[in-house]
Amino acid sequence: MDAFALILVIIGAINWGIIAIFRFDFIATIFGGSSNILSRLIYGLIGLSGLYWIKFLLRNREKIK
């Protein structure tokens, strides 16, 4: 689960970088537009993966104290 979530977070980060630099949404292009149900599902999974990885940030913060 950790690896899958991390891969989605990386894909999302790369996609945001491409949007910022080239104004090109790679996910929307592959899956038929940003309002397409499949694109929205991918965006949702990426968002959930980001929320999932917050636990690692908080866990590492506790170790530092």
Side-chain angles (χ1 to χ4, degrees):
M1 181 71 169
D2 293 349
F4 179 69
L6 181 58
I7 289 168
L8 287 176
V9 168
I10 291 169
I11 289 170
I14 291 170
N15 191 55
W16 274 107
I18 292 170
I19 291 170
I21 295 169
F22 302 111
R23 294 184 179 222
F24 177 75
D25 189 342
F26 187 68
I27 303 287
T29 301
I30 289 175
F31 296 108
S34 61
S35 61
N36 184 314
I37 189 71
L38 195 52
S39 293
R40 292 176 56 205
L41 178 67
I42 298 297
Y43 293 138
L45 287 173
I46 290 171
L48 288 174
S49 296
L51 292 174
Y52 176 79
W53 273 91
I54 288 174
K55 76 174 188 173
F56 294 102
L57 175 68
L58 297 175
R59 184 176 64 191
N60 288 336
R61 205 165 174 218
E62 290 173 3
K63 288 181 182 178
I64 294 172
K65 289 183 179 180

